[in-house]
mmCIF file of all heavy atoms in Angstrom:
data_model
loop_
_atom_site.group_PDB
_atom_site.id
_atom_site.type_symbol
_atom_site.label_atom_id
_atom_site.label_comp_id
_atom_site.label_asym_id
_atom_site.label_seq_id
_atom_site.Cartn_x
_atom_site.Cartn_y
_atom_site.Cartn_z
ATOM 1 N N TYR A 204 -78.556 -39.119 -178.763
ATOM 2 C CA TYR A 204 -80.058 -39.350 -178.582
ATOM 3 C C TYR A 204 -80.327 -39.125 -177.037
ATOM 4 O O TYR A 204 -79.453 -39.373 -176.250
ATOM 5 C CB TYR A 204 -80.429 -40.770 -178.982
ATOM 6 C CG TYR A 204 -80.606 -40.904 -180.503
ATOM 7 C CD1 TYR A 204 -79.896 -41.959 -181.092
ATOM 8 C CD2 TYR A 204 -81.499 -40.153 -181.181
ATOM 9 C CE1 TYR A 204 -80.103 -42.118 -182.439
ATOM 10 C CE2 TYR A 204 -81.643 -40.342 -182.556
ATOM 11 C CZ TYR A 204 -80.923 -41.381 -183.178
ATOM 12 O OH TYR A 204 -81.112 -41.520 -184.557
ATOM 13 N N GLN A 205 -81.549 -38.691 -176.787
ATOM 14 C CA GLN A 205 -81.929 -38.669 -175.400
ATOM 15 C C GLN A 205 -81.958 -40.084 -174.817
ATOM 16 O O GLN A 205 -82.472 -40.935 -175.465
ATOM 17 C CB GLN A 205 -83.436 -38.105 -175.360
ATOM 18 C CG GLN A 205 -83.470 -36.571 -175.337
ATOM 19 C CD GLN A 205 -83.076 -35.931 -174.043
ATOM 20 O OE1 GLN A 205 -82.851 -36.657 -173.088
ATOM 21 N NE2 GLN A 205 -82.983 -34.601 -174.025
ATOM 22 N N GLN A 206 -81.256 -40.244 -173.730
ATOM 23 C CA GLN A 206 -81.199 -41.592 -173.090
ATOM 24 C C GLN A 206 -81.667 -41.397 -171.586
ATOM 25 O O GLN A 206 -82.299 -40.376 -171.228
ATOM 26 C CB GLN A 206 -79.720 -42.065 -173.177
ATOM 27 C CG GLN A 206 -79.310 -42.252 -174.593
ATOM 28 C CD GLN A 206 -77.903 -42.728 -174.758
ATOM 29 O OE1 GLN A 206 -77.406 -43.723 -174.200
ATOM 30 N NE2 GLN A 206 -77.074 -41.942 -175.539
ATOM 31 N N SER A 207 -81.381 -42.350 -170.785
ATOM 32 C CA SER A 207 -81.853 -42.348 -169.427
ATOM 33 C C SER A 207 -81.306 -41.186 -168.690
ATOM 34 O O SER A 207 -80.242 -40.616 -169.050
ATOM 35 C CB SER A 207 -81.488 -43.632 -168.732
ATOM 36 O OG SER A 207 -80.131 -43.772 -168.537
ATOM 37 N N ALA A 208 -81.930 -40.815 -167.600
ATOM 38 C CA ALA A 208 -81.459 -39.705 -166.766
ATOM 39 C C ALA A 208 -80.072 -39.904 -166.256
ATOM 40 O O ALA A 208 -79.168 -39.049 -166.173
ATOM 41 C CB ALA A 208 -82.326 -39.365 -165.584
ATOM 42 N N GLU A 209 -79.727 -41.224 -165.883
ATOM 43 C CA GLU A 209 -78.387 -41.525 -165.441
ATOM 44 C C GLU A 209 -77.347 -41.279 -166.514
ATOM 45 O O GLU A 209 -76.211 -40.925 -166.158
ATOM 46 C CB GLU A 209 -78.431 -43.062 -164.959
ATOM 47 C CG GLU A 209 -77.072 -43.469 -164.384
ATOM 48 C CD GLU A 209 -77.108 -44.881 -163.934
ATOM 49 O OE1 GLU A 209 -78.094 -45.629 -164.229
ATOM 50 O OE2 GLU A 209 -76.117 -45.310 -163.347
ATOM 51 N N VAL A 210 -77.661 -41.518 -167.772
ATOM 52 C CA VAL A 210 -76.747 -41.261 -168.805
ATOM 53 C C VAL A 210 -76.673 -39.759 -169.162
ATOM 54 O O VAL A 210 -75.533 -39.232 -169.432
ATOM 55 C CB VAL A 210 -77.114 -42.087 -170.106
ATOM 56 C CG1 VAL A 210 -76.289 -41.643 -171.302
ATOM 57 C CG2 VAL A 210 -76.876 -43.562 -169.774
ATOM 58 N N MET A 211 -77.832 -39.133 -169.181
ATOM 59 C CA MET A 211 -77.815 -37.642 -169.676
ATOM 60 C C MET A 211 -77.094 -36.748 -168.681
ATOM 61 O O MET A 211 -76.640 -35.724 -169.072
ATOM 62 C CB MET A 211 -79.278 -37.279 -169.855
ATOM 63 C CG MET A 211 -79.966 -37.984 -171.114
ATOM 64 S SD MET A 211 -79.031 -37.846 -172.646
ATOM 65 C CE MET A 211 -78.969 -36.059 -172.962
ATOM 66 N N ARG A 212 -77.144 -37.118 -167.324
ATOM 67 C CA ARG A 212 -76.510 -36.136 -166.347
ATOM 68 C C ARG A 212 -75.055 -35.877 -166.718
ATOM 69 O O ARG A 212 -74.699 -34.745 -166.773
ATOM 70 C CB ARG A 212 -76.673 -36.737 -164.996
ATOM 71 C CG ARG A 212 -78.080 -36.450 -164.367
ATOM 72 C CD ARG A 212 -78.070 -36.677 -162.905
ATOM 73 N NE ARG A 212 -77.998 -38.165 -162.587
ATOM 74 C CZ ARG A 212 -78.992 -38.975 -162.515
ATOM 75 N NH1 ARG A 212 -80.254 -38.521 -162.643
ATOM 76 N NH2 ARG A 212 -78.752 -40.321 -162.212
ATOM 77 N N PRO A 213 -74.222 -36.983 -166.930
ATOM 78 C CA PRO A 213 -72.834 -36.609 -167.293
ATOM 79 C C PRO A 213 -72.716 -35.945 -168.681
ATOM 80 O O PRO A 213 -71.790 -35.088 -168.771
ATOM 81 C CB PRO A 213 -72.152 -38.033 -167.356
ATOM 82 C CG PRO A 213 -73.079 -38.877 -166.512
ATOM 83 C CD PRO A 213 -74.518 -38.398 -166.744
ATOM 84 N N ILE A 214 -73.618 -36.205 -169.572
ATOM 85 C CA ILE A 214 -73.473 -35.574 -170.881
ATOM 86 C C ILE A 214 -73.767 -34.144 -170.755
ATOM 87 O O ILE A 214 -73.061 -33.244 -171.285
ATOM 88 C CB ILE A 214 -74.507 -36.173 -171.875
ATOM 89 C CG1 ILE A 214 -74.069 -37.634 -172.177
ATOM 90 C CG2 ILE A 214 -74.518 -35.412 -173.169
ATOM 91 C CD1 ILE A 214 -75.063 -38.402 -173.105
ATOM 92 N N THR A 215 -74.876 -33.746 -170.077
ATOM 93 C CA THR A 215 -75.258 -32.348 -169.948
ATOM 94 C C THR A 215 -74.220 -31.580 -169.082
ATOM 95 O O THR A 215 -73.843 -30.372 -169.295
ATOM 96 C CB THR A 215 -76.652 -32.222 -169.311
ATOM 97 O OG1 THR A 215 -76.766 -32.911 -168.151
ATOM 98 C CG2 THR A 215 -77.678 -32.715 -170.288
ATOM 99 N N ALA A 216 -73.695 -32.263 -167.996
ATOM 100 C CA ALA A 216 -72.752 -31.598 -167.161
ATOM 101 C C ALA A 216 -71.400 -31.315 -167.843
ATOM 102 O O ALA A 216 -70.892 -30.186 -167.796
ATOM 103 C CB ALA A 216 -72.381 -32.549 -165.912
ATOM 104 N N ARG A 217 -70.955 -32.250 -168.686
ATOM 105 C CA ARG A 217 -69.756 -32.091 -169.433
ATOM 106 C C ARG A 217 -69.938 -30.968 -170.516
ATOM 107 O O ARG A 217 -68.998 -30.111 -170.710
ATOM 108 C CB ARG A 217 -69.295 -33.393 -170.106
ATOM 109 C CG ARG A 217 -67.990 -33.250 -170.948
ATOM 110 C CD ARG A 217 -66.754 -33.144 -170.176
ATOM 111 N NE ARG A 217 -65.535 -33.178 -171.051
ATOM 112 C CZ ARG A 217 -64.358 -33.227 -170.702
ATOM 113 N NH1 ARG A 217 -64.026 -33.328 -169.408
ATOM 114 N NH2 ARG A 217 -63.331 -33.322 -171.513
ATOM 115 N N ALA A 218 -71.018 -30.940 -171.146
ATOM 116 C CA ALA A 218 -71.340 -30.006 -172.159
ATOM 117 C C ALA A 218 -71.404 -28.551 -171.561
ATOM 118 O O ALA A 218 -70.832 -27.623 -172.143
ATOM 119 C CB ALA A 218 -72.659 -30.324 -172.891
ATOM 120 N N ALA A 219 -71.999 -28.489 -170.381
ATOM 121 C CA ALA A 219 -72.060 -27.173 -169.714
ATOM 122 C C ALA A 219 -70.620 -26.705 -169.249
ATOM 123 O O ALA A 219 -70.288 -25.521 -169.473
ATOM 124 C CB ALA A 219 -72.912 -27.264 -168.498
ATOM 125 N N GLN A 220 -69.906 -27.661 -168.780
ATOM 126 C CA GLN A 220 -68.528 -27.394 -168.291
ATOM 127 C C GLN A 220 -67.653 -26.827 -169.451
ATOM 128 O O GLN A 220 -66.853 -25.954 -169.313
ATOM 129 C CB GLN A 220 -67.879 -28.582 -167.677
ATOM 130 C CG GLN A 220 -66.407 -28.336 -167.236
ATOM 131 C CD GLN A 220 -65.748 -29.672 -166.858
ATOM 132 O OE1 GLN A 220 -66.097 -30.733 -167.415
ATOM 133 N NE2 GLN A 220 -64.640 -29.587 -166.152
#
Side-chain angles (χ1 to χ4, degrees):
Y204 281 125
Q205 279 285 353
Q206 298 176 56
S207 70
E209 185 179 5
V210 170
M211 293 307 298
R212 276 192 294 270
I214 295 177
T215 54
R217 177 77 176 188
Q220 178 194 22

